[in-house]
Amino acid sequence: MAGENQVKLYTVEFPPYTIIGPQNAISGIDVEVVKAAFAAVGIEATISEAPWKRIVKNMEHGKIAGTLSCAKNPTREAFMLFSDPTSENNRVAITAKDFDTRKLIKFADLHHYQVISVTEWGVEQQLTQHDVNHSTTPDVDSGIRSVVYRNVDVFYSGELTTLYHARELGLQNKIKSHRLNDIKSTPLHLCLSKQYPGNEALLDQFNAGLNKIKTSGEFDAIYKQYF
């Protein structure tokens, strides 16, 4: 258990929100936002990597304080507390730069295009649930290459994650991100275990710190480092 002015959190790789670098150095938008918000109220946050299933199980049993870059759902609401949003995840149509998207307005319009998505991700599950015919790819990098170099119209994916990978590949000027009118963004939160001692008060402190860094401009400055 961390000290009075310390909190230890766990996360998984989810660029650009969480980036696991060499020697397990952890950075990313949400990592920096969470650390800065806690620092603004005098709390030191340390963040370590762990498998997602283990994180969730340990939170359910109150063995760890929490995690970040976490979306709300009914299952999680039973044992997690959610902060004010730290970021958001938009599901978008990624296309080649010169692809005509004028008739790609809403999610159902994807039926008329050749679509690819990362296998077993939430975006791919959404396509399956709505019977949108699509192919799958093992990772984001190959999805980007599919619309740039292959005969694929749309890579359906998370916006910031894909733009980050495209920049790493040097392909950011070869693609564009197209939002669909009926797909709402998914807020991401600091999520704390309801069973972990002191977490209700910790959540209030974090939200106060988050408000401070948004007011000071530090929040926007963090985002500008990545995009």
Side-chain angles (χ1 to χ4, degrees):
M1 183 180 296
E4 184 178 347
N5 295 316
Q6 296 178 319
V7 60
K8 187 168 185 178
L9 304 165
Y10 293 85
T11 190
V12 294
E13 186 165 32
F14 184 31
Y17 306 98
T18 302
I19 302 165
I20 311 296
Q23 286 76 53
N24 290 323
I26 299 178
S27 61
I29 293 171
D30 279 355
V31 170
E32 295 193 36
V33 165
V34 166
K35 285 185 174 181
F38 273 125
V41 290
I43 296 172
E44 179 187 4
T46 58
I47 300 170
S48 299
E49 184 184 16
W52 179 248
K53 288 184 179 180
R54 185 191 303 167
I55 290 172
V56 173
K57 184 176 181 180
N58 284 340
M59 288 181 66
E60 189 172 4
H61 293 92
K63 293 182 178 180
I64 62 172
T67 189
L68 44 147
S69 306
C70 174
K72 284 185 181 181
N73 65 41
T75 300
R76 293 173 186 172
E77 287 178 323
F79 60 92
M80 291 185 186
L81 303 167
F82 297 87
S83 74
D84 294 338
T86 55
S87 56
E88 65 178 15
N89 185 26
N90 285 287
R91 294 177 173 184
V92 297
I94 301 292
T95 70
K97 192 76 171 180
D98 58 355
F99 188 81
D100 186 355
T101 56
R102 287 176 294 179
K103 294 183 179 180
L104 185 52
I105 299 167
K106 56 187 183 297
F107 182 79
D109 294 332
L110 291 172
H111 285 284
H112 307 299
Y113 297 90
Q114 186 173 359
V115 180
I116 197 168
S117 194
V118 177
T119 184
E120 296 185 353
W121 279 23
V123 280
E124 197 262 328
Q125 293 170 3
Q126 183 185 13
L127 294 171
T128 300
Q129 289 165 3
H130 290 84
D131 296 320
V132 175
N133 189 38
H134 64 282
S135 56
T136 60
T137 189
D139 53 49
V140 173
D141 289 358
S142 59
I144 294 168
R145 293 188 181 101
S146 292
V147 296
V148 173
Y149 299 120
R150 304 187 186 102
N151 190 28
V152 173
D153 299 326
V154 173
F155 175 40
Y156 189 57
S157 184
E159 186 172 38
L160 290 189
T161 298
T162 306
L163 294 178
Y164 174 83
H165 279 267
R167 189 181 69 174
E168 293 295 296
L169 293 170
L171 295 175
Q172 67 270 34
N173 295 323
K174 300 285 188 180
I175 64 168
K176 63 183 177 183
S177 173
H178 184 75
R179 297 190 181 186
L180 304 172
N181 289 351
D182 55 348
I183 300 298
K184 296 180 180 180
S185 65
T186 300
L188 299 178
H189 310 263
L190 169 74
C191 293
L192 300 177
S193 168
K194 287 184 176 180
Q195 304 300 321
Y196 195 84
N199 266 358
E200 289 191 7
L202 186 66
L203 185 70
D204 290 339
Q205 290 174 290
F206 176 79
N207 284 336
L210 184 61
N211 183 62
K212 283 186 177 183
I213 66 169
K214 286 183 176 180
T215 301
S216 71
E218 186 176 1
F219 181 90
D220 290 337
I222 290 171
Y223 266 79
K224 288 178 181 177
Q225 293 176 32
Y226 291 88
F227 296 100

